[in-house]
Amino acid sequence: MDSEQHQRYQTSMVSTYCPETSFLDSIVMSDGTEQSQGSDILTRLHSGEVFIVNSRRRNGLLLFKRYHAEFAGPGAAVGGDYDCDCQRALPIGNLSLLIPESNEERQKAYLIRRQWIRLIKQITENPLPGQRVQKILDQFEQYFPPEIVALLPDVAFALLVGVLPQTVGIVRRLGSDMNSKFNY
């Protein structure tokens, strides 16, 4: 009987700790506004057509999948079969999506998308969550103005590098001093 209670307790812990990713239904920006224009982009992504994030602008697209997020920066391909599982899209900067004019242009865009994925993968290989967050924030601030990065929600960065949103909030508040205060 004791083991039955223990098993029920574990089941309830798992269901409480790992809820569905319903928070993607409404992404709230750091300034308190709710992101709504992503639904139009999501419709375009689910159309099956392939687009390229304009490489002549400082723009990009955060693509929220079921358990993680991906970033498609300038020059990257989005849409088609590759993003059919995308649940939410968050444009960064003045997003401009182009239609590839040739197969070569499409292939190049897929290679660039792979490079963006590899960059995020390199960041996530760091075993320390605080350092992963700091590195992704630094990378985004290299591509976008700090005021744009500051508006992006903690959950977006958390899903990019595999940490809790609370960790992103702590790193944002404490900055690079976090690693000296916390040893985890």
Side-chain angles (χ1 to χ4, degrees):
M1 181 141 131
D2 191 31
S3 64
E4 286 178 12
Q5 288 177 338
H6 181 67
Q7 190 173 5
R8 277 189 234 135
Y9 176 73
Q10 284 182 330
T11 303
S12 74
M13 285 295 289
V14 169
S15 64
T16 303
Y17 183 72
C18 300
E20 289 296 313
T21 52
S22 60
F23 59 86
L24 291 179
D25 292 341
S26 62
I27 295 177
V28 178
M29 305 299 281
S30 295
D31 64 355
T33 60
E34 191 168 322
Q35 184 65 26
S36 61
Q37 67 192 44
S39 62
D40 296 336
I41 295 167
L42 194 60
T43 303
R44 291 181 74 186
L45 294 177
H46 287 164
S47 72
E49 198 170 352
V50 175
F51 300 95
I52 299 174
V53 178
N54 192 341
S55 61
R56 289 181 168 54
R57 291 189 185 182
R58 287 195 176 257
N59 66 147
L61 194 56
L62 277 170
L63 304 163
F64 294 91
K65 308 291 179 105
R66 185 168 172 94
Y67 297 108
H68 73 285
E70 296 176 11
F71 177 68
V78 294
D81 291 337
Y82 198 74
D83 293 316
C84 63
D85 61 340
C86 187
Q87 296 181 345
R88 187 89 173 162
L90 180 64
I92 303 174
N94 188 11
L95 182 68
S96 169
L97 296 177
L98 308 172
I99 297 173
E101 295 178 7
S102 67
N103 283 334
E104 292 79 22
E105 192 174 339
R106 182 186 302 224
Q107 285 178 331
K108 182 181 174 189
Y110 277 120
L111 289 174
I112 292 172
R113 172 78 179 265
R114 227 170 70 188
Q115 288 174 338
W116 284 108
I117 291 171
R118 283 186 179 152
L119 173 67
I120 303 296
K121 179 185 178 286
Q122 287 174 347
I123 294 170
T124 59
E125 288 173 345
N126 188 324
L128 299 174
Q131 289 180 5
R132 290 197 306 258
V133 172
Q134 189 61 58
K135 185 69 174 172
I136 194 70
L137 290 172
D138 292 344
Q139 288 291 326
F140 268 72
E141 286 178 354
Q142 283 183 6
Y143 293 110
F144 304 106
E147 55 273 8
I148 288 179
V149 177
L151 290 176
L152 296 175
D154 291 349
V155 69
F157 292 112
L159 287 170
L160 277 171
V161 296
V163 300
L164 294 171
Q166 295 89 332
T167 305
V168 177
I170 291 169
V171 172
R172 281 180 152 175
R173 281 191 305 278
L174 299 177
S176 58
D177 293 340
M178 188 193 130
N179 292 324
S180 61
K181 294 182 184 201
F182 298 103
N183 228 358
Y184 61 100

